[in-house]
Amino acid sequence: MGGIVVAGTHSGSGKTTVTLGLMAALRKKGLTVQPFKAGPDFIDAGLHRLAADQISRNLDLWMCGPDYVKSCFTKHAAGADIGVVEGVMGLYDGDRSTATLAALLDLPVVLVVDAYGMAESAGAVVKGFAEFGVRSSTFGVKFAGVIFNRVASESHFARLRDSVRDIPVLGYLLRDLDFEIPHRHLGLATVEEIPLCKESLARLADVMLERINIDEIIQNAGSRNKESGNLEGAEDAKNGKSIRIAIARDRAFSFYYEDNFDMLREAGAEIISFSPLADEAIPDSDAVYFGGGYPELHAEALSRNESMRSSVRNWAESGKAMYAECGGLMYLSQAITRDDNKYPMVGIFPFETRMLVKPRLGYREVTLREGSIIGSAGEVRRGHEFHYSEIVGERAGSAYQVTDSRGKGLTNEGFRYKRTLASYIHLHFGSDARCASQFISYVREK
């Protein structure tokens, strides 16, 4: 079992394109690829699934800690020929950087360098990144090689290649590469919107196989010592019959940590899916889980589905367990306002939400002020926040005390109505081993 980390010199260097192309090329060579994404990103992880035909896992050191991250990588890469980890931002950026993750997992780095507007200076950039990582006692980065992106021509690549010393130059992608991932306000388009067709990925794989030394990447990936793959996740709560958790999954709701579902299953849950866009009612289940996504883009259709809105409202009124994050919170509010149009939503909470121009984002630590579906009073959970909307109107109390990753106090939130809990914060259940089992126990209380 080997692996590599795809990192960039900066955000926008092309590491997502290189990562997707590498996964597709490795698959074309007959290898089983297990994808991973550094940090809390849902969208890149979803795109990985299209290229690798495997569920991608988030490796986040701040939310889950090093032990969980190592176990997650080991567990899910164990059945693959190679693990491919897409980094976040620039290689050394952040308190818990891609370089820190690569060192923790003992994986070599493929460095993606945006070559637009430079030639021999690229050698200095690569040398600086290499020496900074090797000499630093914090990182100790090993490099598998360099891939140049946005190269003008073969002669341009020759100048770039000849400027690099002591690190393999693995190849290049041309500036006019016929491959683009659609964007929108939260980033790239989601996998549910099928932004990449099979033909496009196949062409990208062919380009990678033609211009990138894939065999050298495979060789440099090497292998890791096998360690325990047991995640410190859900405690075993399988006393009694399995409970059914209905997950809202469609084009409006698609942002979930797959590990959360795994931990819920291990704690005694059966996961089923439904669509607030297309279905008439919540399916037969014991609890409902609304994740994030793009409800604002589908607000008219969500509002028009009065049967589903009524079903969700009746569910909450009857005191059944329901949990919602970000887009789910927006759906449970009175209305979503977008482009001066107001679309009625479920109406469980007294406030509305409206779209903003700038995002609100960052890591979040929540201390539970009272017992709820995700834990007991005083316990701490971690997650992240990323949205372009805000709450308008009465906030009706808060179940969470919230700080950022540096401990700075933020506006408290986490909203309760009977046995419904909703928040803007996407929680990772790997941040506390008790979370999934407490979720199941709460549902069983009824």
Side-chain angles (χ1 to χ4, degrees), residues 118-164:
M118 65 177 172
E120 284 76 14
S121 295
V125 171
V126 174
K127 179 180 176 64
F129 268 79
E131 290 189 354
F132 187 85
V134 171
R135 292 179 180 177
S136 170
S137 59
T138 303
F139 302 119
V141 176
K142 301 180 295 184
F143 287 88
V146 177
I147 293 175
F148 289 107
N149 188 35
R150 294 211 297 168
V151 174
S153 63
E154 289 188 17
S155 60
H156 182 204
F157 171 65
R159 295 175 65 184
L160 296 164
R161 180 195 60 215
D162 293 345
S163 72
V164 176

Side-chain angles (χ1 to χ4, degrees), residues 70-84:
K70 287 174 68 176
S71 294
C72 182
F73 180 85
T74 301
K75 175 183 178 181
H76 295 292
D81 297 307
I82 186 170
V84 177

Side-chain angles (χ1 to χ4, degrees), residues 152-406:
S153 63
E154 289 188 17
S155 60
H156 182 204
F157 171 65
R159 295 175 65 184
L160 296 164
R161 180 195 60 215
D162 293 345
S163 72
V164 176
R165 302 287 185 272
D166 302 324
I167 291 180
V169 176
L170 300 168
Y172 67 101
L173 294 177
L174 287 171
R175 189 181 305 168
D176 61 356
L177 178 68
D178 183 22
F179 183 82
E180 184 176 357
I181 309 168
H183 285 66
R184 60 174 79 261
H185 56 283
L186 287 184
L188 302 174
T190 66
V191 65
E192 284 73 18
E193 298 168 291
I194 315 179
L196 304 174
C197 64
K198 291 182 179 180
E199 293 76 12
S200 180
L201 280 169
R203 287 196 303 271
L204 180 60
D206 289 338
V207 169
M208 295 287 291
L209 291 167
E210 177 186 349
R211 298 204 172 106
I212 309 293
N213 191 336
I214 301 297
D215 290 334
E216 187 168 358
I217 292 175
I218 296 170
Q219 182 178 355
N220 287 341
S223 61
R224 300 173 71 253
N225 294 327
K226 290 189 176 181
E227 305 168 17
S228 171
N230 295 324
L231 292 174
E232 289 188 11
E235 298 172 353
D236 190 352
K238 294 181 181 178
N239 47 356
K241 72 181 184 68
S242 174
I243 69 163
R244 289 164 59 90
I245 302 177
I247 308 293
R249 296 197 89 162
D250 56 20
R251 286 169 295 141
F253 303 98
S254 59
F255 294 168
Y256 297 95
Y257 292 120
E258 291 290 339
D259 284 6
N260 286 5
F261 297 156
D262 285 349
M263 287 181 276
L264 288 170
R265 291 187 186 98
E266 290 164 7
E270 176 190 356
I271 303 297
I272 60 174
S273 297
F274 73 103
S275 170
L277 284 169
D279 295 336
E280 294 183 356
I282 296 170
D284 179 29
S285 53
D286 301 293
V288 179
Y289 184 164
F290 285 96
Y294 288 114
E296 65 272 21
L297 297 182
H298 305 280
E300 182 177 0
L302 289 169
S303 184
R304 197 167 52 238
N305 191 347
E306 296 181 7
S307 174
M308 176 58 76
R309 287 197 290 130
S310 177
S311 175
V312 176
R313 188 163 47 250
N314 291 339
W315 184 280
E317 291 290 353
S318 67
K320 295 180 181 179
M322 184 155 58
Y323 175 66
E325 297 177 333
C326 200
L329 165 73
M330 297 169 68
Y331 182 60
L332 299 185
S333 74
Q334 294 292 319
I336 296 174
T337 297
R338 178 173 183 254
D339 298 331
D340 296 325
N341 295 312
K342 182 180 290 189
Y343 302 97
M345 292 291 126
V346 174
I348 293 172
F349 297 108
F351 51 77
E352 301 178 359
T353 61
R354 67 183 174 196
M355 302 309 297
L356 301 170
V357 175
K358 293 183 178 180
R360 295 185 177 179
L361 72 163
Y363 284 122
R364 302 290 182 257
E365 181 173 274
V366 304
T367 301
L368 306 183
R369 303 175 74 178
E370 55 191 49
S372 69
I373 194 170
I374 58 166
S376 302
E379 292 178 346
V380 174
R381 304 286 182 262
R382 284 184 167 186
H384 86 284
E385 190 173 1
F386 187 19
H387 54 92
Y388 278 79
S389 66
E390 67 176 355
I391 289 172
V392 180
E394 181 186 353
R395 297 176 70 89
S398 58
Y400 298 168
Q401 180 179 335
V402 185
T403 63
D404 65 14
S405 61
R406 300 181 185 276

